[in-house]
Amino acid sequence: MYIGLTGYMGSGKGTLAKMLVDRGFKFISLSEIVRTQATARGLEHTRENLQTIGNEMRAQNGAGVLGMRVREEVLKGPTAHWIIDGIRNPSEAGELKKLDHFYLIGVTACKEILIKRLLERGRASESNATEGEIMDKIAKEQGAGEPETGQQISKCLDVVDYSIINEGTFVDLERKLNHFLGLLSGTERPSFDEIFMEISYAWAKRATCLRRKVGAVIAKDKQQLTAGYNGAPRGLPHCAELGGCLREKLGIPSGQRHELCRGTHAEQNAITQAAKFGISIEGGTLYCNTYPCVICAKMIINAGITKVVFDSNYDDALSKELLSSQKVLEVVRYEGRKFRAS
């Protein structure tokens, strides 16, 4: 078995790697290849130097070169379980996914916690940095200002097989790791969050939107109530039948001018299905593979739904402002086994 780790500095990848080493996994990091190159050049092993060298190696030899070299390295010796750290570009993940039984774990935490950990952990380059400087480093890891061959951790997190939000205790992190390993071995069942999010992704496969495939499920007391996906209203032709996406033709950015769209969002369809069939969704939880837009957010609140579990981000500033300022609805990021809409 091969387990890869990706995530931002301060997210806890090192702690997770140690847990796996304690379980008998052998450790290797893509950074080891970069450090070897830095030593050969006579350069200090600072984060900035290593980032620069890693970017140069990817630019010269292909974005997946570090993943390819680590893949070749772990295949040299006898069969073993490996933990592979330092995956920072999706092409590296792609190279490693060529290994049989490879699973990529994404480890995340909110920016406030990342900054706090980095200021406290004692590394000179971080403990002496300002919050603004650390945020700039995190943004660079995310991919801000980076070429496609550079660090693109946000894109790596889009292709993980399992997601862990590490904002709690060591015991919490170990429990989440044990759940992941239990899913692989068949000794644990999926959580209800994993079941309902998987169903939302299944419904997303029915979506007719040309931009984004979204599915939503409303559940209560561990039972599914309604579901929906995004596409044209009932009885109307789909956008593909009318020659393409209206929003694309008008050049409307994602997350803006929602009224200029022929489609009904997945969350809206799940709510209107409840009205159609007389199903009470008050007190329910809405699972959606995308963060809700502002129109959906207002409908969700007024429908009496008390929790939203979302997977991928959606760039709607007004929705985020509205949802962050209210207290009747809990909004949480999904973690667990990951799924794809197509």
Side-chain angles (χ1 to χ4, degrees):
M1 180 193 302
Y2 305 92
I3 294 179
L5 294 178
T6 189
Y8 306 119
M9 56 181 182
S11 61
K13 300 189 305 299
T15 302
L16 200 60
K18 186 179 184 305
M19 289 179 181
L20 287 163
V21 169
D22 291 342
R23 286 164 170 78
F25 280 72
K26 297 182 67 174
F27 177 86
I28 190 170
S29 173
L30 276 67
S31 300
E32 292 176 16
I33 299 171
V34 181
R35 290 191 184 97
T36 299
Q37 186 66 231
T39 300
R41 298 185 188 185
L43 295 174
E44 187 181 353
H45 291 189
T46 64
R47 180 178 293 275
E48 289 72 18
N49 285 344
L50 296 177
Q51 287 175 341
T52 299
I53 293 171
N55 285 356
E56 288 175 359
M57 293 179 70
R58 296 186 194 99
Q60 293 169 6
N61 303 289
V65 61
L66 299 179
M68 179 185 67
R69 292 191 183 180
V70 165
R71 187 186 75 236
E72 293 171 347
E73 185 66 26
V74 299
L75 290 175
K76 285 180 181 178
T79 302
H81 294 317
W82 285 90
I83 176 69
I84 303 171
D85 196 8
I87 301 167
R88 294 183 171 85
N89 188 284
S91 292
E92 295 167 350
E95 288 290 338
L96 292 167
K97 283 179 180 288
K98 295 177 183 178
L99 292 165
D100 292 334
H101 308 297
F102 174 84
Y103 305 94
L104 182 60
I105 296 179
V107 192
T108 63
C110 68
K111 285 186 178 180
E112 292 76 14
I113 289 178
L114 293 178
I115 292 170
K116 183 174 184 291
R117 287 174 181 165
L118 293 170
L119 290 173
E120 291 177 349
R121 72 181 184 181
R123 294 184 185 177
S125 63
E126 293 158 1
S127 59
N128 296 327
T130 66
E131 289 191 14
E133 289 170 338
I134 289 178
M135 287 184 66
D136 288 342
K137 291 181 179 181
I138 294 172
K140 184 174 181 179
E141 282 196 322
Q142 287 177 316
E146 289 283 289
E148 287 299 308
T149 54
Q151 294 189 110
Q152 298 286 343
I153 291 180
S154 63
K155 292 183 179 179
C156 290
L157 293 171
D158 289 337
V159 297
V160 301
D161 301 297
Y162 192 81
S163 175
I164 290 178
I165 299 175
N166 179 28
E167 297 179 347
T169 65
F170 182 91
V171 173
D172 292 332
L173 182 60
E174 190 167 38
R175 174 180 53 79
K176 293 174 182 182
L177 175 61
N178 288 336
H179 177 64
F180 166 71
L181 295 174
L183 289 176
L184 293 184
S185 66
T187 58
E188 286 215 16
R189 296 181 294 169
S191 67
F192 280 101
D193 277 3
E194 288 170 318
I195 290 294
F196 291 128
M197 188 59 74
E198 182 176 12
I199 294 172
S200 81
Y201 271 98
W203 277 109
K205 294 177 181 179
R206 286 282 303 169
T208 60
C209 178
L210 301 175
R211 271 190 169 185
R212 183 189 297 256
K213 293 185 179 297
V214 182
V217 170
I218 299 175
K220 185 177 180 181
D221 297 330
K222 302 177 181 179
Q223 296 293 321
Q224 178 181 333
L225 300 178
T226 66
Y229 54 88
N230 58 332
R234 183 175 54 172
L236 296 178
H238 303 306
C239 295
E241 300 173 80
L242 296 176
C245 173
L246 174 63
R247 293 171 62 81
E248 289 286 352
K249 292 177 181 178
L250 296 175
I252 300 172
S254 180
Q256 301 179 23
R257 301 298 304 275
H258 300 291
E259 76 280 5
L260 294 177
C261 177
R262 299 187 69 260
T264 306
H265 287 191
E267 305 97 310
Q268 297 167 15
N269 276 327
I271 292 170
T272 56
Q273 285 295 305
K276 178 180 178 181
F277 293 108
I279 300 171
S280 173
I281 55 176
E282 187 172 9
T285 297
L286 185 141
Y287 294 85
C288 189
N289 62 335
T290 301
Y291 192 91
C293 76
V294 66
I295 296 175
C296 291
K298 291 184 286 188
M299 290 181 65
I300 290 167
I301 291 171
N302 282 349
I305 291 168
T306 55
K307 184 176 181 179
V308 169
V309 180
F310 73 97
D311 194 1
S312 62
N313 189 34
Y314 183 61
D315 191 17
D316 186 332
L318 184 56
S319 176
K320 292 177 180 178
E321 179 186 340
L322 185 152
L323 290 174
S324 65
S325 63
Q326 54 79 44
K327 297 182 180 179
V328 297
L329 177 68
E330 181 185 7
V331 182
V332 298
R333 186 74 182 253
Y334 169 75
E335 61 178 330
R337 187 176 57 176
K338 298 284 280 188
F339 310 97
R340 305 285 180 264
S342 57

